[in-house]
Amino acid sequence: MRTGRTTGIHFLVDSELAERIVSLADVSNKDVLEIGPGRGAITDHIKNYKRLYLIEKEKTFEAYLRNKFPDAILIMGDALRENWPPFDIFISNMPYKITSPLLEKLWSTDFQMAVITVQKEVADRLIAKPNSKDYSKLSIMMQLKFDIDKEFEIPPYKFSPPPKVQSTVLTLRKRSVKIDDGFPEFLKVLFSQRRKKIKNIINIERFKDNRPEELTIEDILSLYYDFNGRK
């Protein structure tokens, strides 16, 4: 069985923690999607759902998952390539190697709530505030789309094999907000030159002496609409 650093998979081995993770979401009579169930540590605690979808890439786990969770709809494949079924609740101990693209796909998907376990450094970027080294395009895009709460951290020894870093459990709740199609590209331009002053990145007076990393999300949105109105 391929595990750990060869695949980016680290299995949660603490049943109480797995139950605590699932308890963060109300899955009763909801459609639930779990990415990367592996040995089913988290899946074991998902109860009273309407439909449970599991997407697992590793063929090693197929027979085990089908036998242990016969009521679940198991999709064997790459979560980044498979079409996700409609769901209300998303739960995943995200494989480290695909965390960023998985977050991007999640960002583009319609659902109510997610409970995700990620590397602490990724969590720090997702919840970062202005004037911090972790504040980035990812911070802004995720915080625009979701209300993000840091729930608790998990030490390496709670996984097998243990990763080299702490993990963090976050909850994401969808916000009712429409994001202009051009905004992500605007952010990309700003944060590719995050240490430059605004006036040296785009030709606009507002916030001209600030750097992108100093601006709040509201400031950047305001700057975007001002800039977009001048084009």
Side-chain angles (χ1 to χ4, degrees), residues 60-90:
T60 311
F61 303 121
E62 181 174 9
Y64 175 82
L65 290 170
R66 290 194 189 282
N67 288 332
K68 187 162 188 181
F69 307 106
D71 294 333
I73 302 166
L74 179 61
I75 301 168
M76 295 302 301
D78 186 338
L80 297 177
R81 297 182 179 180
E82 295 290 335
N83 291 323
W84 292 0
F87 61 91
D88 304 304
I89 307 295
F90 179 93

Side-chain angles (χ1 to χ4, degrees), residues 167-228:
S167 298
T168 302
V169 178
L170 301 173
T171 50
L172 284 62
R173 292 173 176 82
K174 202 75 173 284
R175 301 180 65 211
S176 298
V177 61
K178 186 180 185 306
I179 300 172
D180 195 275
D181 290 342
F183 187 68
E185 185 61 29
F186 180 77
L187 267 186
K188 183 178 179 180
V189 170
L190 287 186
F191 278 87
S192 65
Q193 306 172 76
R194 58 182 290 148
R195 295 296 299 156
K196 287 187 176 181
K197 292 184 176 181
I198 296 296
K199 65 184 179 183
N200 296 322
I201 304 173
I202 56 176
N203 182 24
I204 197 167
E205 285 295 307
R206 195 166 196 189
F207 303 117
K208 65 178 184 177
D209 290 320
N210 291 102
R211 295 177 173 86
E213 60 188 13
E214 298 171 341
L215 300 181
T216 67
I217 294 176
E218 291 74 18
D219 289 339
I220 293 174
L221 276 173
S222 177
L223 186 66
Y224 168 73
Y225 288 120
D226 279 1
F227 179 74
N228 207 42

Side-chain angles (χ1 to χ4, degrees), residues 3-214:
T3 63
R5 295 178 183 89
T6 59
T7 60
I9 301 172
H10 300 271
F11 300 102
L12 186 64
V13 292
D14 188 311
S15 180
E16 289 186 5
L17 270 178
E19 184 176 14
R20 186 179 173 191
I21 288 170
V22 175
S23 72
L24 293 169
D26 178 9
V27 301
S28 299
N29 203 34
K30 302 281 181 62
D31 291 336
V32 182
L33 172 63
E34 183 186 358
I35 299 294
R39 298 170 179 166
I42 290 175
T43 322
D44 261 338
H45 300 281
I46 303 175
K47 311 289 185 184
N48 303 317
Y49 49 80
K50 184 178 181 181
R51 281 180 289 263
L52 174 59
Y53 300 97
L54 307 174
I55 300 182
E56 176 56 61
K57 184 178 181 180
E58 298 294 322
K59 289 287 186 181
T60 311
F61 303 121
E62 181 174 9
Y64 175 82
L65 290 170
R66 290 194 189 282
N67 288 332
K68 187 162 188 181
F69 307 106
D71 294 333
I73 302 166
L74 179 61
I75 301 168
M76 295 302 301
D78 186 338
L80 297 177
R81 297 182 179 180
E82 295 290 335
N83 291 323
W84 292 0
F87 61 91
D88 304 304
I89 307 295
F90 179 93
I91 300 177
S92 182
N93 172 19
M94 290 189 166
Y96 290 173
K97 289 188 177 181
I98 63 167
T99 297
S100 291
L102 204 53
L103 285 171
E104 288 177 12
K105 187 165 182 176
L106 187 64
W107 189 91
S108 302
T109 305
D110 188 31
F111 62 96
Q112 294 176 10
M113 180 186 180
V115 184
I116 61 173
T117 304
V118 296
Q119 291 171 277
K120 182 181 181 298
E121 64 182 44
V122 174
D124 289 345
R125 288 171 60 203
L126 295 183
I127 61 177
K129 300 303 180 186
N131 293 303
S132 69
K133 64 181 178 62
D134 294 314
Y135 191 58
S136 64
K137 175 188 172 184
L138 178 65
S139 315
I140 295 166
M141 291 301 293
M142 293 297 288
Q143 291 175 41
L144 265 178
K145 197 75 170 278
F146 306 106
D147 290 321
I148 306 174
D149 291 308
K150 178 180 177 180
E151 302 296 342
F152 55 90
E153 292 186 357
I154 305 178
Y157 70 87
K158 296 292 186 178
F159 295 90
S160 177
K164 294 181 178 180
V165 296
Q166 291 272 115
S167 298
T168 302
V169 178
L170 301 173
T171 50
L172 284 62
R173 292 173 176 82
K174 202 75 173 284
R175 301 180 65 211
S176 298
V177 61
K178 186 180 185 306
I179 300 172
D180 195 275
D181 290 342
F183 187 68
E185 185 61 29
F186 180 77
L187 267 186
K188 183 178 179 180
V189 170
L190 287 186
F191 278 87
S192 65
Q193 306 172 76
R194 58 182 290 148
R195 295 296 299 156
K196 287 187 176 181
K197 292 184 176 181
I198 296 296
K199 65 184 179 183
N200 296 322
I201 304 173
I202 56 176
N203 182 24
I204 197 167
E205 285 295 307
R206 195 166 196 189
F207 303 117
K208 65 178 184 177
D209 290 320
N210 291 102
R211 295 177 173 86
E213 60 188 13
E214 298 171 341

